[in-house]
Amino acid sequence: MIAARIVVVGTGYVGLTTGACLAGLGHQVTCVDVDEAKVARLAAGRVDILEPDLAGLVTRGLSTRRLRFVVGAGEAVRDADAVFLCVPTPMGSGGAADLRAVEAATAEIREVLPPGSALVTKSTVPVGTSARIARALCRPDVAVVSNPEFLREGTAVADFLGPERIVVGSDDEAAARRVAALYEDVPAPVVVMDAASAELVKYAANCFLAVKLSYVNSIAELCERVGADVFKVTEGMGYDRRIGGAYLTPGPGWGGSCLPKDTGAMLRFAESAGFDFGLLAAAAEENLRQRDRIVAKVAGAVGGTLAGSRIGVLGLAFKAGTNDLRDSPALGVASVLGAHGAEVTAYDPAIGGPLPGMSVVDDAYRAAKGADAIVVLTEWAEFRRLDWPFVAELMAGESVVDARNLLDPAAVLDAGLCWQGLGRPRPRVHAPA
């Protein structure tokens, strides 16, 4: 593989992972950001993101001088072979993707991009963004390429270096293949296509996963009503290769930095194309209902009303293995509990306080102390290993609502507590202590 000179604009989850991994593949990488303090921390090898193996990659990149961090993209891109835009595209007005950061970065580097280079969008952007960037650049000597990311928080490095596929799209096929060549040492199928199709792939994939998660949450609710066990139902479904077992675990709803904003953006640009995407809209509505179902379960566990109750919350991050609270369903449920008058005390191993509407403590047992009920909202493995007899002594009540189906019901019951999960038969009596 021939080493390329690469500039990565943005050092968030996607940008930092992209830069560190490309440097690890042997490229010469410069990561740029507008935050001077953040750049200084990264240049010193300090990584604030909780992501396995990322800090080590950054340290190795710095030590081999294949990776560096600077403020501002203007000077950095002057000799670049490829510039990756990894800037935020959050949900904007009406659900549409906010492309102001993409536009600002494009404007900053427009005049200094070298002829023959490629401007690559790694950020998730709506269909038509590559064409929009090309018009803004007005540089026929610079190719615009879409190379969407498929990174999961908590496994981002593994996903980058061992992906299921690499998607590269451009209306300039030769440029697309040059960008694809940057991944020559990554063992994965490479799919080269036009820019619009590449941009839609990411949305289509994420929205499919959102629909699948909403579907399994609905199945869990149905299981509760008819006396079936969602574990057994999804096991039977998962053996079907057309379905697969991934994303068939019920929970408090889907969230994080991608699915909510991507479903919103997909609905918005589908509408602009004259298409009523009713299936996706229904999945988004179902996701909001799931949060309300969890709140109702907790209310039922404390006698029907949350006002004046004390609720211990275990987990706030949107999933285990990350400290990301963006659109976290766990945080959403905890906030609604507080809004209904509950006194919420929360613990998450990756989250420190304070947070509005709740007390955040540094120990799961402190969250349980005096609680009328406990609700598990993030699937951290350490919650399985809690001393449940001790938890029972600390609690004022006896109800445990397991919104992740994480715990061993027998361990909770043996402690003299009541357990209820999602879509699973609810034990009626305590097991012998």
Side-chain angles (χ1 to χ4, degrees):
M1 182 190 70
I2 299 175
R5 294 163 301 194
I6 298 172
V7 172
V8 176
V9 181
T11 59
Y13 273 97
V14 174
L16 187 57
T17 302
T18 297
C21 288
L22 287 173
L25 292 173
H27 299 295
Q28 198 70 37
V29 181
T30 300
C31 290
V32 304
D33 205 289
V34 296
D35 186 335
E36 294 184 14
K38 185 178 185 181
V39 168
R41 291 195 302 272
L42 290 170
R46 288 160 41 205
V47 176
D48 298 328
I49 297 171
L50 179 62
E51 191 64 50
D53 302 321
L54 182 56
L57 266 180
V58 170
T59 299
R60 285 194 293 277
L62 291 170
S63 66
T64 59
R65 298 188 177 180
R66 289 198 183 106
L67 181 64
R68 69 187 186 113
F69 298 92
V70 301
V71 176
E75 289 300 316
V77 305
R78 288 185 181 277
D79 63 349
D81 298 307
V83 177
F84 283 75
L85 297 182
C86 301
V87 295
T89 54
M91 186 183 295
S93 176
D98 184 344
L99 296 179
R100 283 178 295 180
V102 172
E103 293 164 351
T106 301
E108 182 183 0
I109 62 179
R110 170 186 164 188
E111 301 294 338
V112 291
L113 283 167
S117 62
L119 181 57
V120 185
T121 54
K122 199 75 171 166
S123 304
T124 303
V125 295
V127 176
T129 302
S130 290
R132 182 173 174 177
I133 290 173
R135 289 193 298 270
L137 277 179
C138 199
R139 290 281 306 273
D141 58 337
V142 174
V144 179
V145 180
S146 174
N147 175 214
E149 55 86 13
F150 300 97
L151 307 180
R152 298 166 297 171
E153 291 184 32
T155 58
V157 171
D159 290 342
F160 192 101
L161 297 176
E164 294 176 326
R165 78 290 202 195
I166 297 168
V167 173
V168 185
S170 178
D171 297 334
D172 179 343
E173 185 177 344
R177 296 199 178 277
R178 288 200 305 273
V179 171
L182 301 174
Y183 298 93
E184 183 180 349
D185 291 341
V186 176
V190 178
V191 188
V192 176
M193 59 187 72
D194 61 278
S197 297
E199 290 165 344
L200 187 54
V201 166
K202 175 61 183 294
Y203 283 105
N206 274 359
C207 291
F208 179 84
L209 296 177
V211 170
K212 193 174 182 182
L213 287 169
S214 286
Y215 179 79
V216 78
N217 281 334
S218 296
I219 292 296
E221 174 71 11
L222 184 59
C223 285
E224 292 180 14
R225 292 173 183 255
V226 301
D229 188 332
V230 73
F231 270 17
K232 296 175 182 177
V233 172
T234 54
E235 181 185 12
M237 293 170 62
Y239 283 114
D240 189 327
R241 286 174 295 185
R242 297 168 301 173
I243 299 173
Y247 284 75
L248 282 182
T249 303
W254 39 265
S257 62
C258 291
L259 296 191
K261 77 177 183 68
D262 289 354
T263 52
M266 177 78 111
L267 288 168
R268 183 63 181 270
F269 70 71
E271 180 184 0
S272 69
F275 176 62
D276 181 6
F277 206 151
L279 174 64
L280 185 58
E285 292 170 4
E286 176 64 24
N287 194 50
L288 293 177
R289 282 196 293 271
Q290 185 66 6
R291 181 189 66 184
D292 294 337
R293 289 186 189 123
I294 303 303
V295 172
K297 280 180 179 290
V298 179
V302 295
T305 180
L306 289 163
S309 65
R310 299 186 67 183
I311 307 298
V313 166
L314 298 182
L316 292 170
F318 88 93
K319 70 173 185 176
T322 179
N323 57 356
D324 198 344
L325 291 174
R326 287 176 290 180
D327 280 303
S328 168
L331 183 60
V333 169
S335 298
V336 173
L337 292 172
H340 280 75
E343 180 185 334
V344 177
T345 304
Y347 165 71
D348 187 294
I351 307 296
L355 290 172
M358 67 192 76
S359 299
V360 180
V361 295
D362 58 3
D363 180 84
Y365 298 110
R366 290 184 63 192
K369 187 174 182 180
D372 297 305
I374 287 175
V375 56
V376 178
L377 295 174
T378 308
E379 71 281 20
W380 290 100
E382 72 175 69
F383 298 154
R384 288 196 195 101
R385 301 189 293 269
L386 291 177
D387 182 342
W388 286 101
F390 182 47
V391 171
E393 292 179 16
L394 292 171
M395 291 179 65
E398 59 178 19
S399 294
V400 177
V401 177
D402 186 357
R404 292 284 187 173
N405 287 342
L406 174 73
L407 309 176
D408 176 5
V412 178
L413 294 169
D414 286 349
L417 297 170
C418 299
W419 174 91
Q420 60 172 311
L422 300 187
R424 306 209 64 199
R426 184 175 176 182
R428 299 292 182 183
V429 296
H430 301 315

